PDB file of all heavy atoms in Angstrom:
ATOM      1  N   VAL K   1     196.262 -68.248  81.854  1.00  0.00           N
ATOM      2  CA  VAL K   1     197.074 -67.613  82.879  1.00  0.00           C
ATOM      3  C   VAL K   1     197.022 -68.418  84.230  1.00  0.00           C
ATOM      4  O   VAL K   1     195.927 -68.736  84.701  1.00  0.00           O
ATOM      5  CB  VAL K   1     196.507 -66.210  83.220  1.00  0.00           C
ATOM      6  CG1 VAL K   1     197.405 -65.444  84.179  1.00  0.00           C
ATOM      7  CG2 VAL K   1     196.416 -65.468  81.892  1.00  0.00           C
ATOM      8  N   VAL K   2     198.184 -68.691  84.749  1.00  0.00           N
ATOM      9  CA  VAL K   2     198.191 -69.300  86.077  1.00  0.00           C
ATOM     10  C   VAL K   2     198.741 -68.169  87.025  1.00  0.00           C
ATOM     11  O   VAL K   2     199.752 -67.626  86.807  1.00  0.00           O
ATOM     12  CB  VAL K   2     199.231 -70.489  86.133  1.00  0.00           C
ATOM     13  CG1 VAL K   2     199.520 -70.847  87.570  1.00  0.00           C
ATOM     14  CG2 VAL K   2     198.590 -71.644  85.418  1.00  0.00           C
ATOM     15  N   ARG K   3     197.971 -67.966  88.081  1.00  0.00           N
ATOM     16  CA  ARG K   3     198.318 -67.017  89.139  1.00  0.00           C
ATOM     17  C   ARG K   3     198.947 -67.909  90.203  1.00  0.00           C
ATOM     18  O   ARG K   3     198.208 -68.527  90.999  1.00  0.00           O
ATOM     19  CB  ARG K   3     197.100 -66.227  89.666  1.00  0.00           C
ATOM     20  CG  ARG K   3     197.391 -65.405  90.910  1.00  0.00           C
ATOM     21  CD  ARG K   3     198.285 -64.205  90.546  1.00  0.00           C
ATOM     22  NE  ARG K   3     198.320 -63.267  91.730  1.00  0.00           N
ATOM     23  CZ  ARG K   3     199.394 -63.138  92.474  1.00  0.00           C
ATOM     24  NH1 ARG K   3     200.441 -63.816  92.275  1.00  0.00           N
ATOM     25  NH2 ARG K   3     199.353 -62.196  93.507  1.00  0.00           N
ATOM     26  N   LEU K   4     200.254 -67.988  90.275  1.00  0.00           N
ATOM     27  CA  LEU K   4     200.902 -68.786  91.220  1.00  0.00           C
ATOM     28  C   LEU K   4     201.104 -68.119  92.537  1.00  0.00           C
ATOM     29  O   LEU K   4     201.856 -67.033  92.609  1.00  0.00           O
ATOM     30  CB  LEU K   4     202.217 -69.302  90.613  1.00  0.00           C
ATOM     31  CG  LEU K   4     203.044 -70.313  91.516  1.00  0.00           C
ATOM     32  CD1 LEU K   4     202.294 -71.556  91.751  1.00  0.00           C
ATOM     33  CD2 LEU K   4     204.334 -70.568  90.770  1.00  0.00           C
ATOM     34  N   LYS K   5     200.574 -68.569  93.676  1.00  0.00           N
ATOM     35  CA  LYS K   5     200.533 -67.858  94.941  1.00  0.00           C
ATOM     36  C   LYS K   5     201.258 -68.773  95.956  1.00  0.00           C
ATOM     37  O   LYS K   5     201.145 -69.969  95.866  1.00  0.00           O
ATOM     38  CB  LYS K   5     199.157 -67.489  95.288  1.00  0.00           C
ATOM     39  CG  LYS K   5     198.365 -66.754  94.266  1.00  0.00           C
ATOM     40  CD  LYS K   5     196.896 -66.526  94.683  1.00  0.00           C
ATOM     41  CE  LYS K   5     196.717 -65.459  95.702  1.00  0.00           C
ATOM     42  NZ  LYS K   5     197.006 -64.179  95.211  1.00  0.00           N
ATOM     43  N   GLY K   6     201.737 -68.191  96.929  1.00  0.00           N
ATOM     44  CA  GLY K   6     202.165 -68.941  98.079  1.00  0.00           C
ATOM     45  C   GLY K   6     201.043 -69.480  99.002  1.00  0.00           C
ATOM     46  O   GLY K   6     199.977 -68.809  99.027  1.00  0.00           O
ATOM     47  N   GLY K   7     201.210 -70.551  99.603  1.00  0.00           N
ATOM     48  CA  GLY K   7     200.198 -71.109 100.466  1.00  0.00           C
ATOM     49  C   GLY K   7     198.941 -71.475  99.759  1.00  0.00           C
ATOM     50  O   GLY K   7     198.902 -72.164  98.708  1.00  0.00           O
ATOM     51  N   ASP K   8     197.804 -71.042 100.222  1.00  0.00           N
ATOM     52  CA  ASP K   8     196.484 -71.294  99.641  1.00  0.00           C
ATOM     53  C   ASP K   8     195.983 -69.924  99.158  1.00  0.00           C
ATOM     54  O   ASP K   8     196.007 -68.997  99.853  1.00  0.00           O
ATOM     55  CB  ASP K   8     195.570 -71.944 100.737  1.00  0.00           C
ATOM     56  CG  ASP K   8     194.194 -72.189 100.104  1.00  0.00           C
ATOM     57  OD1 ASP K   8     193.289 -71.293  99.958  1.00  0.00           O
ATOM     58  OD2 ASP K   8     193.934 -73.394  99.674  1.00  0.00           O
ATOM     59  N   PRO K   9     195.328 -69.920  97.882  1.00  0.00           N
ATOM     60  CA  PRO K   9     194.810 -68.663  97.450  1.00  0.00           C
ATOM     61  C   PRO K   9     193.849 -67.969  98.314  1.00  0.00           C
ATOM     62  O   PRO K   9     193.801 -66.745  98.247  1.00  0.00           O
ATOM     63  CB  PRO K   9     194.233 -69.021  96.050  1.00  0.00           C
ATOM     64  CG  PRO K   9     194.810 -70.346  95.726  1.00  0.00           C
ATOM     65  CD  PRO K   9     195.093 -71.093  97.032  1.00  0.00           C
ATOM     66  N   PHE K  10     193.093 -68.704  99.063  1.00  0.00           N
ATOM     67  CA  PHE K  10     191.976 -68.136  99.822  1.00  0.00           C
ATOM     68  C   PHE K  10     192.355 -67.915 101.301  1.00  0.00           C
ATOM     69  O   PHE K  10     191.421 -67.680 102.124  1.00  0.00           O
ATOM     70  CB  PHE K  10     190.692 -68.857  99.650  1.00  0.00           C
ATOM     71  CG  PHE K  10     189.979 -68.650  98.358  1.00  0.00           C
ATOM     72  CD1 PHE K  10     188.878 -69.352  97.954  1.00  0.00           C
ATOM     73  CD2 PHE K  10     190.567 -67.766  97.366  1.00  0.00           C
ATOM     74  CE1 PHE K  10     188.296 -69.120  96.766  1.00  0.00           C
ATOM     75  CE2 PHE K  10     189.906 -67.587  96.122  1.00  0.00           C
ATOM     76  CZ  PHE K  10     188.830 -68.259  95.858  1.00  0.00           C
ATOM     77  N   VAL K  11     193.529 -68.168 101.659  1.00  0.00           N
ATOM     78  CA  VAL K  11     194.032 -68.004 103.049  1.00  0.00           C
ATOM     79  C   VAL K  11     194.958 -66.808 103.148  1.00  0.00           C
ATOM     80  O   VAL K  11     196.117 -66.981 102.914  1.00  0.00           O
ATOM     81  CB  VAL K  11     194.690 -69.227 103.695  1.00  0.00           C
ATOM     82  CG1 VAL K  11     195.033 -68.942 105.131  1.00  0.00           C
ATOM     83  CG2 VAL K  11     193.582 -70.428 103.579  1.00  0.00           C
ATOM     84  N   PHE K  12     194.375 -65.635 103.336  1.00  0.00           N
ATOM     85  CA  PHE K  12     195.203 -64.387 103.389  1.00  0.00           C
ATOM     86  C   PHE K  12     196.023 -64.173 102.079  1.00  0.00           C
ATOM     87  O   PHE K  12     197.038 -63.623 102.118  1.00  0.00           O
ATOM     88  CB  PHE K  12     196.126 -64.410 104.666  1.00  0.00           C
ATOM     89  CG  PHE K  12     195.497 -64.619 105.907  1.00  0.00           C
ATOM     90  CD1 PHE K  12     195.952 -65.486 106.867  1.00  0.00           C
ATOM     91  CD2 PHE K  12     194.271 -63.882 106.186  1.00  0.00           C
ATOM     92  CE1 PHE K  12     195.275 -65.632 108.043  1.00  0.00           C
ATOM     93  CE2 PHE K  12     193.646 -64.102 107.445  1.00  0.00           C
ATOM     94  CZ  PHE K  12     194.133 -64.956 108.305  1.00  0.00           C
ATOM     95  N   GLY K  13     195.484 -64.700 100.992  1.00  0.00           N
ATOM     96  CA  GLY K  13     196.145 -64.627  99.761  1.00  0.00           C
ATOM     97  C   GLY K  13     195.565 -63.621  98.768  1.00  0.00           C
ATOM     98  O   GLY K  13     196.021 -63.492  97.582  1.00  0.00           O
ATOM     99  N   ARG K  14     194.443 -63.128  99.123  1.00  0.00           N
ATOM    100  CA  ARG K  14     193.731 -62.152  98.299  1.00  0.00           C
ATOM    101  C   ARG K  14     193.154 -62.810  96.986  1.00  0.00           C
ATOM    102  O   ARG K  14     192.858 -62.118  96.076  1.00  0.00           O
ATOM    103  CB  ARG K  14     194.540 -60.948  97.999  1.00  0.00           C
ATOM    104  CG  ARG K  14     194.903 -60.271  99.262  1.00  0.00           C
ATOM    105  CD  ARG K  14     195.710 -58.878  99.029  1.00  0.00           C
ATOM    106  NE  ARG K  14     194.693 -57.868  98.693  1.00  0.00           N
ATOM    107  CZ  ARG K  14     194.977 -56.518  98.693  1.00  0.00           C
ATOM    108  NH1 ARG K  14     196.203 -56.069  98.958  1.00  0.00           N
ATOM    109  NH2 ARG K  14     194.116 -55.619  98.382  1.00  0.00           N
ATOM    110  N   GLY K  15     193.132 -64.170  97.074  1.00  0.00           N
ATOM    111  CA  GLY K  15     192.583 -64.838  95.860  1.00  0.00           C
ATOM    112  C   GLY K  15     191.143 -64.525  95.622  1.00  0.00           C
ATOM    113  O   GLY K  15     190.692 -64.525  94.482  1.00  0.00           O
ATOM    114  N   GLY K  16     190.410 -64.297  96.693  1.00  0.00           N
ATOM    115  CA  GLY K  16     188.947 -63.960  96.530  1.00  0.00           C
ATOM    116  C   GLY K  16     188.798 -62.662  95.707  1.00  0.00           C
ATOM    117  O   GLY K  16     187.925 -62.509  94.803  1.00  0.00           O
ATOM    118  N   GLU K  17     189.636 -61.678  95.846  1.00  0.00           N
ATOM    119  CA  GLU K  17     189.655 -60.440  95.223  1.00  0.00           C
ATOM    120  C   GLU K  17     189.876 -60.668  93.755  1.00  0.00           C
ATOM    121  O   GLU K  17     189.296 -60.017  92.819  1.00  0.00           O
ATOM    122  CB  GLU K  17     190.613 -59.425  95.768  1.00  0.00           C
ATOM    123  CG  GLU K  17     190.346 -59.050  97.297  1.00  0.00           C
ATOM    124  CD  GLU K  17     191.434 -58.021  97.797  1.00  0.00           C
ATOM    125  OE1 GLU K  17     191.844 -57.224  96.990  1.00  0.00           O
ATOM    126  OE2 GLU K  17     191.885 -58.342  98.966  1.00  0.00           O
ATOM    127  N   GLU K  18     190.911 -61.470  93.474  1.00  0.00           N
ATOM    128  CA  GLU K  18     191.239 -61.805  92.098  1.00  0.00           C
ATOM    129  C   GLU K  18     190.173 -62.562  91.315  1.00  0.00           C
ATOM    130  O   GLU K  18     189.899 -62.302  90.184  1.00  0.00           O
ATOM    131  CB  GLU K  18     192.563 -62.540  92.100  1.00  0.00           C
ATOM    132  CG  GLU K  18     193.750 -61.739  92.588  1.00  0.00           C
ATOM    133  CD  GLU K  18     194.937 -62.436  92.946  1.00  0.00           C
ATOM    134  OE1 GLU K  18     195.004 -63.689  92.713  1.00  0.00           O
ATOM    135  OE2 GLU K  18     195.969 -61.863  93.341  1.00  0.00           O
ATOM    136  N   ALA K  19     189.559 -63.547  92.081  1.00  0.00           N
ATOM    137  CA  ALA K  19     188.384 -64.294  91.461  1.00  0.00           C
ATOM    138  C   ALA K  19     187.237 -63.294  91.181  1.00  0.00           C
ATOM    139  O   ALA K  19     186.768 -63.510  90.144  1.00  0.00           O
ATOM    140  CB  ALA K  19     188.021 -65.381  92.442  1.00  0.00           C
ATOM    141  N   LEU K  20     186.899 -62.518  92.064  1.00  0.00           N
ATOM    142  CA  LEU K  20     185.801 -61.459  91.858  1.00  0.00           C
ATOM    143  C   LEU K  20     186.125 -60.644  90.649  1.00  0.00           C
ATOM    144  O   LEU K  20     185.213 -60.419  89.767  1.00  0.00           O
ATOM    145  CB  LEU K  20     185.590 -60.700  93.081  1.00  0.00           C
ATOM    146  CG  LEU K  20     184.838 -61.371  94.238  1.00  0.00           C
ATOM    147  CD1 LEU K  20     184.962 -60.427  95.486  1.00  0.00           C
ATOM    148  CD2 LEU K  20     183.309 -61.564  93.824  1.00  0.00           C
ATOM    149  N   HIS K  21     187.354 -60.075  90.554  1.00  0.00           N
ATOM    150  CA  HIS K  21     187.695 -59.188  89.434  1.00  0.00           C
ATOM    151  C   HIS K  21     187.590 -59.978  88.105  1.00  0.00           C
ATOM    152  O   HIS K  21     187.034 -59.421  87.149  1.00  0.00           O
ATOM    153  CB  HIS K  21     189.134 -58.711  89.589  1.00  0.00           C
ATOM    154  CG  HIS K  21     189.570 -57.645  88.690  1.00  0.00           C
ATOM    155  ND1 HIS K  21     189.132 -56.335  88.786  1.00  0.00           N
ATOM    156  CD2 HIS K  21     190.372 -57.705  87.541  1.00  0.00           C
ATOM    157  CE1 HIS K  21     189.524 -55.662  87.774  1.00  0.00           C
ATOM    158  NE2 HIS K  21     190.377 -56.419  86.996  1.00  0.00           N
ATOM    159  N   CYS K  22     188.101 -61.190  88.121  1.00  0.00           N
ATOM    160  CA  CYS K  22     188.022 -61.995  86.839  1.00  0.00           C
ATOM    161  C   CYS K  22     186.497 -62.233  86.476  1.00  0.00           C
ATOM    162  O   CYS K  22     186.030 -62.112  85.293  1.00  0.00           O
ATOM    163  CB  CYS K  22     188.602 -63.335  86.912  1.00  0.00           C
ATOM    164  SG  CYS K  22     190.535 -63.088  87.028  1.00  0.00           S
ATOM    165  N   ALA K  23     185.744 -62.607  87.412  1.00  0.00           N
ATOM    166  CA  ALA K  23     184.288 -62.905  87.221  1.00  0.00           C
ATOM    167  C   ALA K  23     183.539 -61.637  86.716  1.00  0.00           C
ATOM    168  O   ALA K  23     182.722 -61.795  85.868  1.00  0.00           O
ATOM    169  CB  ALA K  23     183.628 -63.391  88.543  1.00  0.00           C
ATOM    170  N   ARG K  24     183.945 -60.479  87.230  1.00  0.00           N
ATOM    171  CA  ARG K  24     183.184 -59.313  86.794  1.00  0.00           C
ATOM    172  C   ARG K  24     183.540 -58.923  85.368  1.00  0.00           C
ATOM    173  O   ARG K  24     182.733 -58.182  84.678  1.00  0.00           O
ATOM    174  CB  ARG K  24     183.530 -58.096  87.767  1.00  0.00           C
ATOM    175  CG  ARG K  24     182.921 -58.222  89.181  1.00  0.00           C
ATOM    176  CD  ARG K  24     183.516 -57.359  90.186  1.00  0.00           C
ATOM    177  NE  ARG K  24     182.833 -57.505  91.464  1.00  0.00           N
ATOM    178  CZ  ARG K  24     183.425 -57.093  92.568  1.00  0.00           C
ATOM    179  NH1 ARG K  24     184.626 -56.599  92.592  1.00  0.00           N
ATOM    180  NH2 ARG K  24     182.748 -57.300  93.726  1.00  0.00           N
ATOM    181  N   HIS K  25     184.635 -59.468  84.872  1.00  0.00           N
ATOM    182  CA  HIS K  25     185.082 -59.160  83.451  1.00  0.00           C
ATOM    183  C   HIS K  25     184.880 -60.333  82.571  1.00  0.00           C
ATOM    184  O   HIS K  25     185.437 -60.364  81.469  1.00  0.00           O
ATOM    185  CB  HIS K  25     186.521 -58.729  83.508  1.00  0.00           C
ATOM    186  CG  HIS K  25     186.772 -57.355  84.078  1.00  0.00           C
ATOM    187  ND1 HIS K  25     186.828 -57.172  85.457  1.00  0.00           N
ATOM    188  CD2 HIS K  25     186.967 -56.171  83.443  1.00  0.00           C
ATOM    189  CE1 HIS K  25     187.065 -55.820  85.592  1.00  0.00           C
ATOM    190  NE2 HIS K  25     187.072 -55.235  84.433  1.00  0.00           N
ATOM    191  N   GLY K  26     184.065 -61.380  83.054  1.00  0.00           N
ATOM    192  CA  GLY K  26     183.720 -62.450  82.228  1.00  0.00           C
ATOM    193  C   GLY K  26     184.895 -63.387  81.923  1.00  0.00           C
ATOM    194  O   GLY K  26     184.808 -64.118  80.945  1.00  0.00           O
ATOM    195  N   VAL K  27     185.797 -63.497  82.843  1.00  0.00           N
ATOM    196  CA  VAL K  27     186.991 -64.351  82.657  1.00  0.00           C
ATOM    197  C   VAL K  27     186.766 -65.552  83.498  1.00  0.00           C
ATOM    198  O   VAL K  27     186.653 -65.471  84.785  1.00  0.00           O
ATOM    199  CB  VAL K  27     188.329 -63.676  83.042  1.00  0.00           C
ATOM    200  CG1 VAL K  27     189.441 -64.670  82.988  1.00  0.00           C
ATOM    201  CG2 VAL K  27     188.640 -62.521  82.080  1.00  0.00           C
ATOM    202  N   PRO K  28     186.737 -66.839  82.977  1.00  0.00           N
ATOM    203  CA  PRO K  28     186.560 -68.053  83.825  1.00  0.00           C
ATOM    204  C   PRO K  28     187.713 -68.253  84.700  1.00  0.00           C
ATOM    205  O   PRO K  28     188.887 -67.956  84.368  1.00  0.00           O
ATOM    206  CB  PRO K  28     186.471 -69.137  82.763  1.00  0.00           C
ATOM    207  CG  PRO K  28     187.002 -68.621  81.579  1.00  0.00           C
ATOM    208  CD  PRO K  28     186.848 -67.165  81.525  1.00  0.00           C
ATOM    209  N   VAL K  29     187.436 -68.704  85.930  1.00  0.00           N
ATOM    210  CA  VAL K  29     188.433 -68.925  86.986  1.00  0.00           C
ATOM    211  C   VAL K  29     188.388 -70.345  87.540  1.00  0.00           C
ATOM    212  O   VAL K  29     187.344 -70.818  87.876  1.00  0.00           O
ATOM    213  CB  VAL K  29     188.267 -67.936  88.097  1.00  0.00           C
ATOM    214  CG1 VAL K  29     189.239 -68.148  89.251  1.00  0.00           C
ATOM    215  CG2 VAL K  29     188.313 -66.492  87.660  1.00  0.00           C
ATOM    216  N   THR K  30     189.571 -70.921  87.591  1.00  0.00           N
ATOM    217  CA  THR K  30     189.740 -72.233  88.256  1.00  0.00           C
ATOM    218  C   THR K  30     190.515 -71.959  89.598  1.00  0.00           C
ATOM    219  O   THR K  30     191.595 -71.332  89.467  1.00  0.00           O
ATOM    220  CB  THR K  30     190.464 -73.229  87.398  1.00  0.00           C
ATOM    221  OG1 THR K  30     189.757 -73.383  86.103  1.00  0.00           O
ATOM    222  CG2 THR K  30     190.700 -74.591  88.068  1.00  0.00           C
ATOM    223  N   VAL K  31     190.055 -72.531  90.632  1.00  0.00           N
ATOM    224  CA  VAL K  31     190.813 -72.355  91.901  1.00  0.00           C
ATOM    225  C   VAL K  31     191.397 -73.704  92.300  1.00  0.00           C
ATOM    226  O   VAL K  31     190.641 -74.736  92.418  1.00  0.00           O
ATOM    227  CB  VAL K  31     189.951 -71.871  93.058  1.00  0.00           C
ATOM    228  CG1 VAL K  31     190.672 -71.722  94.335  1.00  0.00           C
ATOM    229  CG2 VAL K  31     189.269 -70.479  92.710  1.00  0.00           C
ATOM    230  N   VAL K  32     192.726 -73.756  92.420  1.00  0.00           N
ATOM    231  CA  VAL K  32     193.399 -74.910  92.912  1.00  0.00           C
ATOM    232  C   VAL K  32     193.834 -74.720  94.387  1.00  0.00           C
ATOM    233  O   VAL K  32     194.769 -73.872  94.549  1.00  0.00           O
ATOM    234  CB  VAL K  32     194.667 -75.204  92.025  1.00  0.00           C
ATOM    235  CG1 VAL K  32     195.297 -76.560  92.482  1.00  0.00           C
ATOM    236  CG2 VAL K  32     194.103 -75.510  90.622  1.00  0.00           C
ATOM    237  N   PRO K  33     193.311 -75.308  95.370  1.00  0.00           N
ATOM    238  CA  PRO K  33     193.751 -75.164  96.766  1.00  0.00           C
ATOM    239  C   PRO K  33     195.199 -75.492  96.954  1.00  0.00           C
ATOM    240  O   PRO K  33     195.772 -76.283  96.215  1.00  0.00           O
ATOM    241  CB  PRO K  33     192.829 -76.084  97.541  1.00  0.00           C
ATOM    242  CG  PRO K  33     191.667 -76.295  96.664  1.00  0.00           C
ATOM    243  CD  PRO K  33     192.137 -76.338  95.288  1.00  0.00           C
ATOM    244  N   GLY K  34     195.792 -74.857  97.874  1.00  0.00           N
ATOM    245  CA  GLY K  34     197.248 -75.105  98.248  1.00  0.00           C
ATOM    246  C   GLY K  34     197.327 -75.428  99.720  1.00  0.00           C
ATOM    247  O   GLY K  34     196.428 -75.173 100.538  1.00  0.00           O
ATOM    248  N   ILE K  35     198.425 -76.090 100.043  1.00  0.00           N
ATOM    249  CA  ILE K  35     198.819 -76.303 101.496  1.00  0.00           C
ATOM    250  C   ILE K  35     199.223 -74.924 102.113  1.00  0.00           C
ATOM    251  O   ILE K  35     200.122 -74.385 101.785  1.00  0.00           O
ATOM    252  CB  ILE K  35     199.960 -77.326 101.591  1.00  0.00           C
ATOM    253  CG1 ILE K  35     199.671 -78.581 100.929  1.00  0.00           C
ATOM    254  CG2 ILE K  35     200.309 -77.496 102.978  1.00  0.00           C
ATOM    255  CD1 ILE K  35     200.728 -79.513 100.790  1.00  0.00           C
ATOM    256  N   THR K  36     198.291 -74.608 103.128  1.00  0.00           N
ATOM    257  CA  THR K  36     198.593 -73.311 103.818  1.00  0.00           C
ATOM    258  C   THR K  36     199.670 -73.379 104.733  1.00  0.00           C
ATOM    259  O   THR K  36     199.909 -74.373 105.471  1.00  0.00           O
ATOM    260  CB  THR K  36     197.239 -72.822 104.508  1.00  0.00           C
ATOM    261  OG1 THR K  36     197.635 -71.644 105.150  1.00  0.00           O
ATOM    262  CG2 THR K  36     196.838 -73.885 105.541  1.00  0.00           C
ATOM    263  N   SER K  37     200.554 -72.346 104.748  1.00  0.00           N
ATOM    264  CA  SER K  37     201.708 -72.328 105.635  1.00  0.00           C
ATOM    265  C   SER K  37     201.280 -72.269 107.053  1.00  0.00           C
ATOM    266  O   SER K  37     202.056 -72.644 107.964  1.00  0.00           O
ATOM    267  CB  SER K  37     202.531 -70.972 105.329  1.00  0.00           C
ATOM    268  OG  SER K  37     201.855 -69.818 105.458  1.00  0.00           O
ATOM    269  N   ALA K  38     200.099 -71.843 107.339  1.00  0.00           N
ATOM    270  CA  ALA K  38     199.539 -71.814 108.776  1.00  0.00           C
ATOM    271  C   ALA K  38     199.583 -73.131 109.428  1.00  0.00           C
ATOM    272  O   ALA K  38     199.780 -73.198 110.659  1.00  0.00           O
ATOM    273  CB  ALA K  38     198.187 -71.216 108.801  1.00  0.00           C
TER     274      ALA K  38
END
């Protein structure tokens, strides 16, 4: 699964919440930084 987000996942993108949810359910997560619109 690719969660395609605008900007960077961890800059006001709620990527941290998604990573935590996956981790709590034993799902491996890869984070690919993005160019932030800021």
Side-chain angles (χ1 to χ4, degrees):
V1 184
V2 167
R3 173 69 169 111
L4 183 61
K5 307 170 76 69
D8 181 277
F10 286 178
V11 179
F12 304 133
R14 304 188 75 169
E17 297 175 44
E18 294 167 0
L20 281 170
H21 187 78
C22 290
R24 287 166 180 159
H25 288 80
V27 174
V29 177
T30 300
V31 179
V32 180
I35 301 173
T36 175
S37 60

